[in-house]
Amino acid sequence: HSIHLTRPSALICYQVKKTVAELSGVGAILHHMCPNTCLAFTGPFANLEYCPLCNAPRFDPITLQNNNKKVAQREFYTIPLGPQLQALWRTKEGAKNIRYRTQRTNEILQEMRTNNGHISKYDDIFCRHDYLDAFQRGDIGPNDMVLMFSFDGCQLYELKVSEAWVFIWIVLDHAPEVRYKKRNVLIGGFIPGPKKPQNMDSFLFPGFHHLMALQKEGLKVWDALTNTVITSYPFFALGTADGPGLSHL
């Protein structure tokens, strides 16, 4: 069927994004950033009106002068982790797949009990003694989700300066053969370029502050497999990046 567009395409795009956010429960949080990508105005920089590194104004000077209105010169996006984790449990298939970690961990512990503490095949992160110790201490429960964080710069266009930064979350509870598939990789946020961030912590602050709240208060999740509401406490296991990214991390 043909669709008659009566409004500008930008408005239609806005409506589509708004509808997707309402249906999925996953939306974006915007924060102001330095126009030169030095830092984000978060945490200890939240109330500043000038970048402490390059002295660039936070708000557009022309709009401020003409309309006396504070409009940020640049913004970056953080995609909250909680709603994305909740979405993984909404189908029976998804709730079953995310139980792989608990199932594999119990298999490893059973093998260690019958094999004098040894593991015959080290095939995943769950064979690590630090993880197994945390699981046995109760630091990681059967309903919790174990996370790996990573970020990297990406070149958007081949022939011009267009670097941006993207950070992601990998849910290690999935089996290795599916955990790195695009559909299972959760987006943490975007930092526009083309200049590199000087204070990466300020850009990561909103995402990790959100994670800390989930770890402290717990995340309510509807488990489609058991048709019950459970409480999950996400466990931060690894922070990774490439060589240049590790210097920021």
PDB file of all heavy atoms in Angstrom, residues 60-71:
ATOM      1  N   ASP A  60      25.706  27.535  22.379  1.00  0.00           N
ATOM      2  CA  ASP A  60      25.856  28.298  21.150  1.00  0.00           C
ATOM      3  C   ASP A  60      25.804  29.795  21.462  1.00  0.00           C
ATOM      4  O   ASP A  60      24.767  30.306  21.919  1.00  0.00           O
ATOM      5  CB  ASP A  60      24.736  27.915  20.187  1.00  0.00           C
ATOM      6  CG  ASP A  60      24.814  28.685  18.887  1.00  0.00           C
ATOM      7  OD1 ASP A  60      25.907  29.159  18.543  1.00  0.00           O
ATOM      8  OD2 ASP A  60      23.769  28.819  18.219  1.00  0.00           O
ATOM      9  N   PRO A  61      26.890  30.528  21.217  1.00  0.00           N
ATOM     10  CA  PRO A  61      26.942  31.962  21.589  1.00  0.00           C
ATOM     11  C   PRO A  61      25.904  32.796  20.837  1.00  0.00           C
ATOM     12  O   PRO A  61      25.346  33.744  21.401  1.00  0.00           O
ATOM     13  CB  PRO A  61      28.365  32.379  21.213  1.00  0.00           C
ATOM     14  CG  PRO A  61      29.135  31.101  21.132  1.00  0.00           C
ATOM     15  CD  PRO A  61      28.161  30.054  20.673  1.00  0.00           C
ATOM     16  N   ILE A  62      25.627  32.462  19.574  1.00  0.00           N
ATOM     17  CA  ILE A  62      24.696  33.265  18.779  1.00  0.00           C
ATOM     18  C   ILE A  62      23.275  33.123  19.316  1.00  0.00           C
ATOM     19  O   ILE A  62      22.556  34.126  19.501  1.00  0.00           O
ATOM     20  CB  ILE A  62      24.762  32.835  17.297  1.00  0.00           C
ATOM     21  CG1 ILE A  62      26.164  33.106  16.738  1.00  0.00           C
ATOM     22  CG2 ILE A  62      23.710  33.577  16.481  1.00  0.00           C
ATOM     23  CD1 ILE A  62      26.342  32.657  15.311  1.00  0.00           C
ATOM     24  N   THR A  63      22.848  31.899  19.575  1.00  0.00           N
ATOM     25  CA  THR A  63      21.513  31.678  20.124  1.00  0.00           C
ATOM     26  C   THR A  63      21.378  32.295  21.504  1.00  0.00           C
ATOM     27  O   THR A  63      20.334  32.862  21.851  1.00  0.00           O
ATOM     28  CB  THR A  63      21.213  30.171  20.200  1.00  0.00           C
ATOM     29  OG1 THR A  63      21.410  29.579  18.929  1.00  0.00           O
ATOM     30  CG2 THR A  63      19.785  29.921  20.647  1.00  0.00           C
ATOM     31  N   LEU A  64      22.445  32.198  22.284  1.00  0.00           N
ATOM     32  CA  LEU A  64      22.414  32.765  23.641  1.00  0.00           C
ATOM     33  C   LEU A  64      22.290  34.278  23.590  1.00  0.00           C
ATOM     34  O   LEU A  64      21.560  34.887  24.383  1.00  0.00           O
ATOM     35  CB  LEU A  64      23.683  32.348  24.394  1.00  0.00           C
ATOM     36  CG  LEU A  64      23.756  32.689  25.877  1.00  0.00           C
ATOM     37  CD1 LEU A  64      22.635  32.009  26.648  1.00  0.00           C
ATOM     38  CD2 LEU A  64      25.114  32.267  26.453  1.00  0.00           C
ATOM     39  N   GLN A  65      22.964  34.901  22.628  1.00  0.00           N
ATOM     40  CA  GLN A  65      22.945  36.357  22.531  1.00  0.00           C
ATOM     41  C   GLN A  65      21.626  36.868  21.951  1.00  0.00           C
ATOM     42  O   GLN A  65      21.056  37.847  22.435  1.00  0.00           O
ATOM     43  CB  GLN A  65      24.113  36.838  21.665  1.00  0.00           C
ATOM     44  CG  GLN A  65      24.179  38.348  21.519  1.00  0.00           C
ATOM     45  CD  GLN A  65      25.372  38.781  20.683  1.00  0.00           C
ATOM     46  OE1 GLN A  65      26.175  37.961  20.273  1.00  0.00           O
ATOM     47  NE2 GLN A  65      25.479  40.077  20.440  1.00  0.00           N
ATOM     48  N   ASN A  66      21.128  36.193  20.913  1.00  0.00           N
ATOM     49  CA  ASN A  66      19.931  36.686  20.222  1.00  0.00           C
ATOM     50  C   ASN A  66      18.635  36.316  20.925  1.00  0.00           C
ATOM     51  O   ASN A  66      17.692  37.115  20.968  1.00  0.00           O
ATOM     52  CB  ASN A  66      19.902  36.151  18.788  1.00  0.00           C
ATOM     53  CG  ASN A  66      21.060  36.679  17.954  1.00  0.00           C
ATOM     54  OD1 ASN A  66      21.656  37.705  18.271  1.00  0.00           O
ATOM     55  ND2 ASN A  66      21.393  35.975  16.887  1.00  0.00           N
ATOM     56  N   ASN A  67      18.582  35.119  21.473  1.00  0.00           N
ATOM     57  CA  ASN A  67      17.328  34.635  22.058  1.00  0.00           C
ATOM     58  C   ASN A  67      17.413  34.399  23.557  1.00  0.00           C
ATOM     59  O   ASN A  67      16.428  33.979  24.169  1.00  0.00           O
ATOM     60  CB  ASN A  67      16.888  33.336  21.365  1.00  0.00           C
ATOM     61  CG  ASN A  67      16.719  33.506  19.878  1.00  0.00           C
ATOM     62  OD1 ASN A  67      16.274  34.546  19.418  1.00  0.00           O
ATOM     63  ND2 ASN A  67      17.084  32.490  19.106  1.00  0.00           N
ATOM     64  N   ASN A  68      18.602  34.622  24.119  1.00  0.00           N
ATOM     65  CA  ASN A  68      18.816  34.371  25.549  1.00  0.00           C
ATOM     66  C   ASN A  68      18.413  32.936  25.916  1.00  0.00           C
ATOM     67  O   ASN A  68      17.826  32.690  26.970  1.00  0.00           O
ATOM     68  CB  ASN A  68      18.037  35.373  26.404  1.00  0.00           C
ATOM     69  CG  ASN A  68      18.539  35.400  27.835  1.00  0.00           C
ATOM     70  OD1 ASN A  68      19.707  35.101  28.106  1.00  0.00           O
ATOM     71  ND2 ASN A  68      17.658  35.746  28.765  1.00  0.00           N
ATOM     72  N   LYS A  69      18.744  32.028  25.017  1.00  0.00           N
ATOM     73  CA  LYS A  69      18.390  30.621  25.200  1.00  0.00           C
ATOM     74  C   LYS A  69      19.647  29.768  25.127  1.00  0.00           C
ATOM     75  O   LYS A  69      20.456  29.925  24.208  1.00  0.00           O
ATOM     76  CB  LYS A  69      17.384  30.178  24.131  1.00  0.00           C
ATOM     77  CG  LYS A  69      16.850  28.773  24.326  1.00  0.00           C
ATOM     78  CD  LYS A  69      15.799  28.443  23.271  1.00  0.00           C
ATOM     79  CE  LYS A  69      15.247  27.039  23.465  1.00  0.00           C
ATOM     80  NZ  LYS A  69      14.222  26.696  22.426  1.00  0.00           N
ATOM     81  N   LYS A  70      19.806  28.867  26.096  1.00  0.00           N
ATOM     82  CA  LYS A  70      20.986  28.014  26.138  1.00  0.00           C
ATOM     83  C   LYS A  70      20.763  26.756  25.291  1.00  0.00           C
ATOM     84  O   LYS A  70      19.952  25.895  25.646  1.00  0.00           O
ATOM     85  CB  LYS A  70      21.312  27.620  27.583  1.00  0.00           C
ATOM     86  CG  LYS A  70      21.777  28.791  28.455  1.00  0.00           C
ATOM     87  CD  LYS A  70      22.165  28.323  29.843  1.00  0.00           C
ATOM     88  CE  LYS A  70      22.723  29.470  30.683  1.00  0.00           C
ATOM     89  NZ  LYS A  70      23.112  29.027  32.051  1.00  0.00           N
ATOM     90  N   VAL A  71      21.455  26.693  24.187  1.00  0.00           N
ATOM     91  CA  VAL A  71      21.384  25.538  23.290  1.00  0.00           C
ATOM     92  C   VAL A  71      22.784  24.948  23.166  1.00  0.00           C
ATOM     93  O   VAL A  71      23.732  25.641  22.772  1.00  0.00           O
ATOM     94  CB  VAL A  71      20.850  25.940  21.900  1.00  0.00           C
ATOM     95  CG1 VAL A  71      20.845  24.725  20.971  1.00  0.00           C
ATOM     96  CG2 VAL A  71      19.456  26.525  22.019  1.00  0.00           C
TER      97      VAL A  71
END
